[in-house]
Amino acid sequence: MLDGGALSARLAEQRDGGADRDTLLRAAVEGIEATSDRYDWVGIYLLEDGELRLHNYVGKETEHSRIPVGHGVCGAAVAENRDINVADVRELDNYIACSLHTRSEIVVLIRDPGTGAIHGQLDLDSDQPAAFTDEDEVELRRVADWLGRLFGDV
Ligand code: SME
């Protein structure tokens, strides 16, 4: 089970040791992915020039390295300014499939701690239906909130 507080503490140690933002974003993805077999694909998209750009991921290769705001689950989360937890991706009309095996997906927004502005998102896919629990969401939010501090003035 992911412990978002513990992972954030490890990331803070790396930052204090001089790790830059790109390194920390990669470490976050690897740290999340390592905690559960339910997490089949874990990635971070950053919102840059009005579109989502894949920063790094662990899992099967995807061709969706850029996603316009409003498209798919990832783009909908930005357009609707909310986290999205989809129990069964087969029920969505606007789903962008990265893998035909994916059954559920969660997107947790990375926000500026001051303004709430969206910097990007954690995106997780699972081959199991309804894989992402409320507990997953809480722990992922902890990591996303920590990552949000790496943008802006920092
Ligand atoms: N399924 C996402 C696209 C990203 S892949 O899952 C890696 C979506 O519908 O936005």
Side-chain angles (χ1 to χ4, degrees):
M1 179 70 209
L2 172 64
D3 179 336
L7 177 55
S8 298
R10 287 211 306 278
L11 295 171
E13 269 175 36
Q14 284 184 254
R15 181 199 53 198
D16 293 346
D20 64 12
R21 185 169 74 200
D22 287 335
T23 303
L24 294 167
L25 291 172
R26 275 194 294 276
V29 164
E30 285 162 15
I32 292 167
E33 197 275 339
T35 59
S36 175
D37 291 341
R38 287 174 291 126
Y39 303 166
D40 291 299
W41 192 96
V42 180
I44 287 178
Y45 285 91
L46 296 182
L47 185 60
E48 290 168 347
D49 296 331
E51 67 175 3
L52 288 163
R53 294 183 183 156
L54 187 56
H55 179 277
N56 84 98
Y57 66 96
V58 177
K60 286 201 190 107
E61 199 177 335
T62 175
E63 59 191 25
H64 302 294
S65 55
R66 288 177 179 223
I67 300 176
V69 170
H71 289 231
V73 182
C74 296
V78 176
E80 296 168 21
N81 194 24
R82 66 182 181 103
D83 298 339
I84 300 183
N85 186 351
V86 183
D88 185 352
V89 298
R90 291 174 296 184
E91 289 179 0
L92 298 180
D93 296 333
N94 66 343
Y95 182 62
I96 301 171
C98 276
S99 157
L100 293 176
H101 300 291
T102 299
R103 285 292 170 267
S104 53
E105 174 159 1
I106 189 169
V107 174
V108 177
L109 294 171
I110 298 171
R111 294 177 184 279
D112 185 281
T115 64
I118 298 169
H119 293 301
Q121 60 187 218
L122 299 172
D123 178 29
L124 283 74
D125 291 351
S126 178
D127 294 350
Q128 301 175 30
F132 302 104
T133 63
D134 291 348
E135 212 178 349
D136 286 314
E137 211 166 326
V138 167
E139 299 305 321
L140 290 167
R141 160 95 354 256
R142 290 206 168 105
V143 179
D145 284 348
W146 191 86
L147 293 173
R149 292 155 44 188
L150 298 173
F151 295 82
D153 304 331
V154 183

